[in-house]
Amino acid sequence: MKLRCAVLDDYQGVALSSADWGPLADRVDVRVLREHLTDRDALVAAVEDCEVLVVMRERTPVDAELLARLPRLRLLITSGMRNASIDVAAARARGVTVCGTASSPAPPTELTWALLLGLARHVPAEARAVREGGPWQSTVGADLAGRTLGLVGLGKIGARVARIGLAFGMDVAAWSPNLTEERAAEHGVRLAKDRRDLLAGSDFVSLHLVLSDRTRGLIGEPELRAMRPSAYLVNTSRAGLVDGAALLRALREGWIAGAGLDVYETEPLPADDPLRTLPNVLALPHLGYVTEANYGRYFGQAVEDIEAFLAGSPVRELG
């Protein structure tokens, strides 16, 4: 009898075309759920017969309560090797193997710069004016060369963002709780003395930290008020790094010039969320990792994870 596998939250309907699922055809029935199921009962009804679940990033939390309602589940696969919305300990306690996949830092790096450049040169407004017959050249762009880019976090993605900033001729500074002057210097970056100093001295601020109890709400009202009124904030990391209420006030009251956002506390973003309509927000629907190559990795290695599990030798297990 074949195992049953459900792929959750395949918004674009590309899970089956992004990889070759053929090797599993005679052993696993695979189905795809394109709609995000926020109702827990509906979700359970849709997947309770499955032995395998493939989840995309943190779109659907898999906590102890959900695991208890899925007694048939034996293998849980997440895209990437870190997923804060999965209770790995609870899964292991129930005998569920949790595996991940590789994920490239290149796509979120590139999207960070798409947002930053879009803000600096007012791309959405100018493109809309061209399309709709609006004014010709209605804005004046902000220069990058000679300006300061402040990075909160200098890990795999932050370091890549730094290199591009340097290539644009920017002065790049960085800060994180554990960043040393030596590591900053390795990447040609100045170490700011603290986060307030970084934010106050930057024309563009980009966030690249892992969300944890230590970093949640790291950018609050004092930090946002410390920024220049002409400065922009870009967040392609995690929404929880920023105090959402303070950010809304900052955008509405002009503490900062604008924000480029790809991550939100609730996803998909509710239809009535003010971030959808504020004129100084460039908002994208969490596209940071959404590229052809990355999806090929995610779903291709999901197939590998299932094959290895069936062979009795799971790979890329999360601890």
Side-chain angles (χ1 to χ4, degrees):
M1 185 175 177
K2 289 184 179 181
L3 296 182
R4 282 152 293 200
C5 170
V7 180
L8 303 186
D9 299 308
D10 181 17
Y11 298 155
Q12 299 102 333
V14 296
L16 299 184
S17 61
S18 293
D20 179 10
W21 294 78
L24 302 175
D26 61 343
R27 294 171 291 170
V28 182
D29 281 325
V30 181
R31 62 178 180 264
V32 171
L33 280 66
R34 293 194 59 178
E35 296 298 320
H36 177 67
L37 298 176
T38 55
D39 182 81
R40 185 59 64 94
D41 291 337
L43 175 61
V44 170
V47 302
E48 61 186 344
D49 63 329
C50 293
E51 290 84 10
V52 182
L53 288 183
V54 179
V55 300
M56 175 58 68
R57 305 301 291 175
E58 297 169 0
R59 292 176 182 174
T60 294
V62 184
D63 55 22
E65 189 270 340
L66 179 60
L67 289 163
R69 298 180 65 182
L70 302 175
R72 298 182 64 92
L73 186 63
R74 291 293 173 264
L75 175 63
L76 178 61
I77 299 169
T78 176
S79 57
M81 290 300 294
R82 181 191 297 120
N83 190 329
S85 71
I86 293 177
D87 190 332
V88 176
R92 293 176 116 181
R94 300 192 65 85
V96 177
T97 300
V98 184
C99 297
T101 73
S103 183
S104 171
T109 300
E110 294 164 2
L111 193 82
T112 296
W113 280 100
L115 285 170
L116 198 152
L117 288 166
L119 288 167
R121 302 303 293 269
H122 308 286
V123 170
E126 294 290 6
R128 186 167 55 251
V130 170
R131 181 182 296 274
E132 298 175 356
W136 190 258
Q137 296 183 350
S138 62
T139 65
V140 178
D143 295 279
L144 298 188
R147 297 292 180 87
T148 298
L149 170 64
L151 301 176
V152 182
L154 196 64
K156 290 181 180 179
I157 297 173
R160 285 172 172 258
V161 172
R163 288 200 295 273
I164 296 169
L166 292 170
F168 273 118
M170 302 185 78
D171 170 38
V172 183
W175 174 89
S176 73
N178 299 314
L179 184 62
T180 65
E181 190 167 350
E182 291 73 22
R183 175 164 172 74
E186 288 175 10
H187 296 285
V189 172
R190 289 189 296 107
L191 176 64
K193 65 179 182 180
D194 54 43
R195 67 178 182 272
R196 292 283 297 277
D197 178 67
L198 179 79
L199 295 172
S202 297
D203 299 291
F204 300 88
V205 175
S206 189
L207 309 183
H208 301 286
L209 287 178
V210 173
L211 182 62
S212 67
D213 291 340
R214 187 180 182 188
T215 60
R216 182 174 291 279
L218 193 71
I219 308 299
E221 180 170 337
E223 288 75 24
L224 291 166
R225 285 191 179 277
M227 292 178 65
R228 300 169 178 173
S230 59
Y232 293 94
L233 178 72
V234 175
N235 189 2
T236 58
S237 185
R238 288 292 182 269
L241 296 172
V242 183
D243 180 326
L247 178 59
L248 278 177
R249 286 194 63 197
L251 293 165
R252 284 169 166 162
E253 298 178 16
W255 306 352
I256 61 176
L261 305 174
D262 190 45
V263 288
Y264 313 92
E265 287 286 5
T266 301
E267 296 185 10
L269 193 64
D272 61 350
D273 194 294
L275 291 174
R276 287 182 177 267
T277 56
L278 284 173
N280 54 350
V281 172
L282 175 51
L284 296 177
H286 206 158
L287 298 177
Y289 51 84
V290 181
T291 66
E292 294 173 352
N294 234 15
Y295 270 25
R297 288 184 194 90
Y298 290 167
F299 295 115
Q301 292 189 12
V303 173
E304 294 175 4
D305 288 348
I306 296 171
E307 288 188 289
F309 176 80
L310 293 175
S313 303
V315 295
R316 292 182 287 267
E317 284 192 74
L318 303 188

